[in-house]
Amino acid sequence: MSSFVIEGGRRLFGEITPQGAKNEALEVICAALLTDEKVVIRNIPDILDIRNLIQLLRDMNVKVERPAMDTYVFQADTVDIAYLESAEFLTRMASLRGSVMLLGPLLARFGKAVLPNIGGDKIGRRRVDTHITGLQKLGATFEYNAVSQSYTVRADALRGCYMLLDEASVTGTANILMAAVLSDGVTTIYNAACEPYIQQLSTMLNAMGARITGIGSNLLVVEGVTSLHGAEHTVLPDMIEVGSFIGMAAMTGSEILIKKTGYDRLGIIPDSFRRIGIRIEQRGDDIHIPSHDSYEIETFIDGSIMTVADAPWPGLTPDLLSVFLVVATKATGSVLIHQKMFESRLFFVDKLIDMGAQIILCDPHRATVIGLGNRLRLRASTMVSPDIRAGIALLIAAMSAEGTSRIDNIEQIDRGYQNIDARLNAIGAAISRL
């Protein structure tokens, strides 16, 4: 298990560029299985989850080339379907949450897939009912194997249909989309997720020959085709990393320029930070964060306490709630952080309380932060990262604390943030990797 040792109290200064979007990259890499021709994908982040997914494709006998550090070429013309039955495949797939999106492409192209118990962040219940129900409506059957604790999924032929999703699941929508593009007939998906990740996946699939309309809305219509061809695609900047850098700059009183942010695709994120008092200046596609001596949380127009809550797109992404929570501890004023989607994502607040933050954990979904402004001096601490997003929040807290902190289990952070210690050290941080 690796660790970060962080010397707190240092201000950052300079420019930093966000990596490619992890969540989008997982989707579009899986989509490469839908054709036997070459698929070129650029701006892929070099992070643990992505490396594990690409290795899984290699093990399935997908040809993988890497002509540049952030560019991969995939060709799935000799996929080893028998490998799906192996214990090794089940183990590797189960350890990677994003691998659930292999289901749709495998089912659509080969008529068979396997679904083990999927791992990932321990942030509460993360059901896959939407994936299963959607694929069943297209004609798939699921057979449970008690010995391997996995499902064998089969479909002699997928047929388009109308479906109303019970939740606007991003990965569920992606899986259903990738199955529907090679289905017979028209598939209408209502209450579909419409995040930029899904928009990007849909655009790439259309470039491969799919026929998807309604992109950017929650009503997607897919006219099935018999085959797809190769294409080239560029992954968006990671909005979660952009938000993390905004919060990091404000909490450490730093002035930084975040380059190539994909500003027009950030949705409500910049305005949500402005509501807790952070000044954000758009400069074309860049974001300038001036040095903050202090920042004050707004109240609602009637004077009631501000609430920051996650919601399906175009609402605020749940992946940034941990960052908002930690940044609010050094604001002036109070805010209610309401994490609606995952019931265990706020449990890391005990570590912030140990550092001196004033937080009341109301229940598994809600925490009230009493921001003390400059009266708060976070104390250095030794912590363990429970998941990707809590990990980056703890790193932000440690960077603003007095003294030297240590974060263990940083493999969780590495799953979502590329070479984060070296990139932050280049703009003034003092982070050592053990």
Side-chain angles (χ1 to χ4, degrees), residues 42-68:
R42 299 183 178 87
N43 201 29
I44 293 179
D46 185 18
I47 55 178
L48 192 57
D49 276 7
I50 298 295
R51 291 198 296 267
N52 286 341
L53 178 61
I54 292 173
Q55 185 57 49
L56 188 57
L57 293 186
R58 285 194 177 103
D59 294 340
M60 295 166 60
N61 211 31
V62 175
K63 298 183 181 72
V64 180
E65 302 172 20
R66 193 179 187 182

Side-chain angles (χ1 to χ4, degrees), residues 146-322:
V147 176
S148 62
Q149 295 186 329
S150 64
Y151 288 91
T152 298
V153 191
R154 299 182 188 277
D156 294 331
L158 295 175
R159 293 179 177 82
C161 65
Y162 170 87
M163 65 180 77
L164 172 60
L165 304 188
D166 65 335
E167 64 171 348
S169 165
V170 176
T171 54
T173 300
N175 241 339
I176 295 165
L177 261 182
M178 289 187 281
V181 292
L182 292 181
S183 298
D184 181 22
V186 176
T187 301
T188 302
I189 309 169
Y190 194 33
N191 195 31
C194 54
E195 270 81 351
Y197 314 131
I198 294 295
Q199 297 175 36
Q200 286 285 97
L201 172 65
S202 299
T203 300
M204 174 176 153
L205 291 173
N206 280 350
M208 296 170 68
R211 298 173 182 172
I212 304 170
T213 57
I215 297 173
S217 75
N218 66 350
L219 180 61
L220 297 175
V221 179
V222 186
E223 183 181 345
V225 297
T226 56
S227 64
L228 298 180
H229 52 73
E232 297 188 8
H233 179 77
T234 300
V235 174
L236 286 174
D238 195 317
M239 69 173 77
I240 312 305
E241 196 168 69
V242 172
S244 301
F245 293 152
I246 292 172
M248 188 178 295
M251 196 166 183
T252 58
S254 304
E255 178 183 0
I256 66 170
L257 184 68
I258 309 171
K259 301 284 291 181
K260 300 177 182 178
T261 64
Y263 191 93
D264 292 340
R265 309 294 288 273
L266 293 177
I268 201 173
I269 292 172
D271 282 341
S272 296
F273 277 108
R274 291 184 179 107
R275 289 169 67 190
I276 61 172
I278 297 175
R279 299 189 300 281
I280 295 174
E281 301 169 0
Q282 181 186 0
R283 297 182 177 178
D285 199 37
D286 302 339
I287 290 176
H288 175 249
I289 307 298
S291 177
H292 286 70
D293 292 327
S294 62
Y295 48 99
E296 184 173 352
I297 299 170
E298 295 178 1
T299 59
F300 287 116
I301 197 167
D302 63 355
S304 59
I305 185 172
M306 175 62 62
T307 298
V308 176
D310 59 345
W313 190 268
L316 183 63
T317 171
D319 285 345
L320 275 176
L321 263 287
S322 300

